[in-house]
Amino acid sequence: MVAGQFETFTVAFYHSAVNYTTLGYGDMVMSKDWRLLAFGWSTAALVTIVIRLGRYRHRAQILISRALAKNS
């Protein structure tokens, strides 16, 4: 909506939900100018999420190994 690609929040939300769940029906598409930017934003968000999840997993493994070492 902010980019002026969709008229209402409902339509913008529908477009986002369909595309982020990888269904991608194709019944609503953004203009070519905005597709690349939206792809970049999505990629950046996914990479950030994966990196953070990796850090949390690593920290959890360290805490678990320390707890096991204390109990041994």
Side-chain angles (χ1 to χ4, degrees), residues 20 30 32-47:
Y20 281 109
M30 298 176 80
K32 289 184 180 184
D33 295 337
W34 283 98
R35 284 184 210 162
L36 184 58
L37 183 60
F39 175 75
W41 285 340
S42 299
T43 303
L46 289 173
V47 168

Side-chain angles (χ1 to χ4, degrees), residues 11-70:
V11 174
F13 182 79
Y14 169 78
H15 174 267
S16 297
V18 167
N19 285 299
Y20 281 109
T21 58
T22 67
L23 296 173
Y25 296 136
D27 55 343
M28 305 182 109
V29 294
M30 298 176 80
S31 66
K32 289 184 180 184
D33 295 337
W34 283 98
R35 284 184 210 162
L36 184 58
L37 183 60
F39 175 75
W41 285 340
S42 299
T43 303
L46 289 173
V47 168
T48 301
I49 290 168
V50 169
I51 288 171
R52 288 186 181 181
L53 287 173
R55 287 180 186 163
Y56 290 132
R57 182 178 179 191
H58 179 69
R59 288 179 189 155
Q61 288 175 339
I62 290 172
L63 292 173
I64 290 170
S65 64
R66 286 181 184 168
L68 292 174
K70 284 183 181 181

